[in-house]
Amino acid sequence: MSRKWVISAATAAAALFIGLGAVQAADKKLVVGFSQIGSESGWRAAETKTAKAEADKRGIDLKISDAQQKQENQIKAVRSFVAQGVDAIFIAPVVATGWDSVLKEAKEAKIPVVLLDRQIETKDQSLYMTAVTSDTVHEGRVAGEWLAKQTGGKCAVVELQGTVGSSPAINRKKGFDEIVAKNPGMKIVRTQSGDFTRAKGKEVMESFIKAENGGKGICAVYAHNDDMAVGAIQAIKEAGLKPGKDILVVSIDGVPDIFKAMAEGEANATVELTPNMAGPAYDALIAFKKDGKAPPKWIQTESALFTPDTAKAEYERRKDAY
Amino acid sequence: MTLSAPGPARNLPQYGALIAVLLANWLLFPDFFAIRLQDGRLFGSLIDVLNRGAPVALLAVGMTMVIATRGVDLSVGAVMAISGAIAATMTGAGWSLPAVLAASLAAGLLCGLWNGVLVAVLRIQPIIATLILMVAGRGIAQLVTEGQIVTFTSPALAFIGSGSFLTVPMPVVLTIVVLAVTALLVRATALGLMIEAVGVNRLSSAGAGVNTPVVLVAVYVWCGLCAAVAGLIVTADIRGADANNAGLWLELDAILAVVVGGTSLLGGRFGLVLSVVGALIIQAMNTGILLSGFKPEFNLIVKAGVLLVVLLLQSPTLTLFLPRPKGARPIGTVKPPVAPTSGGAKP
Amino acid sequence: MTASTAPPSAPLLAIRGLSKAFLGVQALDGVDFTLRHGEIHALLGENGAGKSTLIKTLTGVYQRDNGTVALEGREIAPRGVEEAQRLHIGTVYQEVNLLPNLSVAENLFLGRQPMRWGLVDRGAMRRRARAVLQPYGLSVDVTAPLGRFSVATQQIIAIARAVDMSAKVLILDEPTASLDAQEVAVLFKVMRTLRSRGIGIVFVTHFLDQVYEVCDSITVLRNGRLVGERRTADLPRLDLVAMMLGRELEAAAHRIDLGPAEVDSRPPLASFKGFGKARSVEPFDLDIRPGEVVALAGLLGSGRTETVRLVFGMDRADRGEATVDGRAVRLKGPRDAVRLGFGFCPEDRKKEGIVGELSVRENIILALQARQGWLKPIPRRRQEEIADRFIRLLDIRTPDAERPIQLLSGGNQQKALLARWLATEPRLLILDEPTRGIDVGAHAEIIRLIERLCADGMALLVVSSELEEIVAYSRRVVVLRDRRHVAELRGGEVSVERIVAAIASETPNVAGSGAEVRQ
């Protein structure tokens, strides 16, 4: 098969293929193969669970392969999906590079690929149909905007960063910093890495409280994820202060425990990183199969802000998904 | 017999380093030594050093004896995760505190037994033998927690992490207790001698009738128990079992603490207290860095630099160039006693 | 390579006046050695004779101080094993120096793999490997890792590699040490085939029977000097043993004629029947009574050390039974032996005896403490008393009991080890080369101590290469050869001459009722 033929036939053959796909869709269920990274966090588990639930809702047959944090397993899974001739492949890529050759195989087999929750680095954007991810910079911005509004643009913030060098940590800091820059009264007085964990979040918050005059100098804590915020809440309580009142707590992710904390008045806001990455992907896929309308290259999930008033209900809604 | 390696000169680098790091923290943060009572519990940066250093100090106590037998236990971090996962899950299921503690400690004991049998009976190299549980253990913990952070609200279990006894935080109290019990166990019995003998020369010790497999299994079991206690503390502290992160990489901190404490990786003489001092040096640096306001990117570099200095101070090659206190000559010719008594006596 | 077409004028290998010293110790002193084409030449000698120094100098591991080495008349001076191999000198050690995790073929062609377009041509390598091994009657899977095969097979593969690299001189350093009889036979067949192809083989071994079975000539070294070179056919065994041990023997001693032995009717403290271990020592019978010193004599590698290790449980016997005080006992390990009241000072003090970093005190009380168990620690004061008592009693030269034992001299380490066992008040004390490597003064003290302990009613089992020493303190001597107990001398029979004669005896000598010979 010559390369030229593939390129020249890209639209025409695709149309034919889509037509076929539409016929298939009418006859039988869409089959989607999903190469998931693993189940290293509660959020990841929720993403898998939601993917299943959303698939059932739409009558899609979802095949999940757990890669246990290994790219080689993901590549194997994609190859096996190609061999099975699925209708689409979803990948939550464990790393950003090294996907070109296996994605080419999928492309040659005319199977559309959707990236979930993380992007990849490739020169050839045609290797995947679309990527469904959140905008982590935007998440930081949403958190910052809420805090600026809440405090009238005047606040001494301590920041619990994620793992040094990780892209969510870099981006969530960047978005938040943009808002701080716009508000002269807002200032990040201390920033340290809490490694995205509760234990480190608590330890770092303890030292912030001591360093800032027993916590009197702190107006709010901004944590790059909810787990660190939960740790920080405990540190604040043990220092004899009231989290959510003496020190405001704002974080990102929207895991059930932070809703619980908000319901108890100990946290003030969280920006949700929705585990429902698969839902928009299914919708884009169904639309594509139906009328051949290619989705945009990037489907951005909503970064919704949640506050204590809905916390109890949200907690009840989520605790089983996680 | 002393708790630490003999000779005050040999302990100088450890205590010196601890004092130096604490003083540096004080320079960076003038309130470093300020301590007050908060809800009947001591509160201050110095207390944080002790409190946060407790898990690694506990690991270091167990690790010291394993290293003294010329072994190493890479699985302690994973054992912490397992013990914590069991504690949180069982507490969530409504078990009473004694049952929870017993189950968590039993898990640590079993993990230690597994390591010990691999090393002592099947004669697998310790680094490989314990690597198995290091990898598998975290998986076991994740199975127990089903991949989530299992939280609990039981104040009884939380007390282990954030309660206090006579104003001293519980983690510190537990560490002192474990250290004292361990010291008693090895120094009030002949176990310490046997551990050192096996570490220096396993063949000779076996030839002298020492039950080397039992000694080896015992140190790994004890190390597992110490790890289980550390796991309980971190779980109780955050009121949740984080199977992915609990104790992650702490095995390396524990090994470092032991080495900084002056126990050789080649086995033999060990100092339990010095290993705890080693753990406190590491934690004092961590706390200092947090207080200092350095960018987090520099944390590891600062830490590595300070540790390098401490280890260099212990280097035999380097100490040759430093003035040595009298009577501490490491190698010398043996002179006969002043008046050797010859023969005569009957055996 | 085929058998030499014309009779070569120069010998295959001629070593003349070879000398080598290490830190002032003369390991080789003006040694001559001649190896002819198509000859198997035994290189013999006891500990410290200089065999391994000779081999290592020949293969370029060491550089000689003096002397010449000529290969077919051309002087050579290899500076490493590879260069020696290029000069047609191949070496195969007892512990095969190949890589167990690589395949047989890879080992055969290591460093000289057949290449094709810059890559290893595996197909060619496998074909050639099979071809290389074929003459040895070895049909193994050449792609399997070497380590999967027996030591014997590995040795033949190592030989095949050396020969394939055009070795003319093949040095076999104790190749038979861990082989069984059948494997030895296969190896000898290979050696004879190579001999017929004109290759000269230097054969180092401790087994006299094997020397007489396969060797054409014998060169004996002792203390770094050449004792002599003989044709095997012209050298009676007794003379060979005498050469090795360095003794001139009267002609009368050639005939072994042992008088009636005194029979000790007291019940033995420990008794071993058919005790033995495959590939280590043939089954033997041995009785040891209280208050007697039983000595084990024989050449290096004759099974002396192996015997005492079995008795103490350091190695586990796989046949036979042991009784102590008439009751059957199990000796699964040293702990069993210690519980039975045995003590053992091993030959390799540093590796198996002392616990180097620990103090003299701790070393002395270790066995006693081990027997009491860890739950009953000996109080510090009592430890010091014990240590001080033995330091005084045995005159252990140390500034104090707290000095690490590794800083003591060899003789004082040995005394501390004796103290370790004496502290347990043993009933049977086993000493393996108790006087090796210690200074003259300590030497005499240890012999006096052995005599004194015996007089106090302790039973001793002593291995020693010092025959005079044995004669001085033993009433009973068990003689070993080629891993067998071949004779037992008693009372008036015990003399250096008789021991030597028994070591050299060709047919197993039955002397006294206690000597048991297999087959």
Side-chain angles (χ1 to χ4, degrees), chain A residues 87-157:
Chain A
D87 297 306
I89 297 171
F90 290 4
I91 308 173
V94 63
V95 291
T97 53
W99 295 101
D100 288 24
S101 82
V102 73
L103 291 189
K104 252 175 218 143
E105 288 169 33
K107 188 179 165 185
E108 275 165 21
K110 304 192 173 59
I111 299 173
V113 170
V114 180
L115 305 176
L116 295 191
D117 127 66
R118 295 186 187 185
Q119 294 275 6
I120 60 166
E121 281 168 29
T122 175
K123 287 202 183 81
D124 185 358
Q125 297 293 324
S126 74
L127 289 179
Y128 62 91
M129 185 173 79
T130 182
V132 182
T133 73
S134 70
D135 181 348
T136 40
V137 179
H138 183 65
E139 288 165 356
R141 252 180 245 134
V142 172
E145 275 161 2
W146 174 85
L147 190 60
K149 203 172 130 204
Q150 195 71 16
T151 60
K154 264 197 200 154
C155 188
V157 186

Side-chain angles (χ1 to χ4, degrees), chain A:
Chain A
M1 195 191 289
S2 93
R3 188 163 296 256
K4 209 168 216 172
W5 186 86
V6 177
I7 296 168
S8 63
T11 37
L16 180 70
F17 173 74
I18 289 151
L20 252 151
V23 173
Q24 275 180 343
D27 289 345
K28 63 182 181 79
K29 281 174 151 187
L30 271 179
V31 180
V32 172
F34 178 22
S35 171
Q36 176 61 292
I37 295 178
S39 53
E40 77 279 4
S41 66
W43 186 88
R44 184 69 60 194
E47 183 188 32
T48 309
K49 237 182 222 177
T50 315
K52 274 184 217 156
E54 296 288 321
D56 290 346
K57 237 190 252 174
R58 294 169 176 81
I60 291 171
D61 183 8
L62 184 67
K63 298 180 174 185
I64 297 175
S65 165
D66 184 330
Q68 293 171 341
Q69 318 293 324
K70 286 204 181 86
Q71 185 180 30
E72 58 190 85
N73 290 345
Q74 291 204 295
I75 288 173
K76 267 186 223 154
V78 172
R79 292 226 164 95
S80 130
F81 289 144
V82 170
Q84 291 168 35
V86 296
D87 297 306
I89 297 171
F90 290 4
I91 308 173
V94 63
V95 291
T97 53
W99 295 101
D100 288 24
S101 82
V102 73
L103 291 189
K104 252 175 218 143
E105 288 169 33
K107 188 179 165 185
E108 275 165 21
K110 304 192 173 59
I111 299 173
V113 170
V114 180
L115 305 176
L116 295 191
D117 127 66
R118 295 186 187 185
Q119 294 275 6
I120 60 166
E121 281 168 29
T122 175
K123 287 202 183 81
D124 185 358
Q125 297 293 324
S126 74
L127 289 179
Y128 62 91
M129 185 173 79
T130 182
V132 182
T133 73
S134 70
D135 181 348
T136 40
V137 179
H138 183 65
E139 288 165 356
R141 252 180 245 134
V142 172
E145 275 161 2
W146 174 85
L147 190 60
K149 203 172 130 204
Q150 195 71 16
T151 60
K154 264 197 200 154
C155 188
V157 186
V158 294
E159 181 182 32
L160 296 171
Q161 297 185 28
T163 307
V164 173
S166 70
S167 85
I170 293 167
N171 292 339
R172 286 172 181 178
K173 177 165 181 56
K174 194 175 155 206
F176 192 83
D177 283 351
E178 284 173 18
I179 307 302
V180 171
K182 278 188 210 149
N183 293 279
M186 266 176 103
K187 202 176 154 228
I188 295 179
V189 289
R190 287 196 175 253
T191 175
Q192 257 294 347
S193 169
D195 277 339
F196 283 132
T197 69
R198 288 189 188 204
K200 281 292 278 182
K202 183 172 180 187
E203 179 180 350
V204 174
M205 193 64 200
E206 279 177 357
S207 71
F208 283 171
I209 290 169
K210 267 135 208 154
E212 295 299 328
N213 193 20
K216 292 191 190 75
I218 305 172
C219 137
V221 54
Y222 163 52
H224 286 187
N225 77 349
D226 291 339
D227 279 330
M228 291 191 290
V230 170
I233 289 168
Q234 289 176 13
I236 295 167
K237 279 202 276 191
E238 283 170 24
L241 299 170
K242 288 200 176 61
K245 294 189 179 65
D246 297 334
I247 296 177
L248 302 178
V249 178
V250 54
S251 54
I252 299 172
D253 270 1
V255 301
D257 280 343
I258 201 74
F259 286 103
K260 205 171 150 205
M262 281 197 286
E264 287 161 9
E266 291 174 343
N268 305 83
T270 186
V271 181
E272 187 189 39
L273 167 64
T274 176
N276 184 13
M277 297 282 168
Y282 295 136
D283 293 339
L285 181 69
I286 289 166
F288 176 66
K289 293 277 180 193
K290 204 171 144 201
D291 49 23
K293 199 185 93 185
K297 270 288 162 208
W298 182 24
I299 301 173
Q300 189 185 331
T301 58
E302 196 193 351
S303 299
L305 185 96
F306 289 88
T307 48
D309 31 302
T310 57
K312 199 161 179 357
E314 292 291 337
Y315 174 70
E316 293 302 328
R317 195 163 68 76
R318 269 158 230 269
K319 69 178 182 191
D320 292 327
Y322 277 78

Side-chain angles (χ1 to χ4, degrees), chain B residues 108-141:
Chain B
L109 190 142
L110 271 178
C111 290
L113 197 63
W114 163 264
N115 286 331
V117 167
L118 289 187
V119 172
V121 182
L122 302 180
R123 296 193 164 242
I124 299 174
Q125 283 180 15
I127 197 164
I128 303 299
T130 57
L131 190 65
I132 297 169
L133 194 56
M134 175 185 175
V135 177
R138 206 157 281 286
I140 294 170

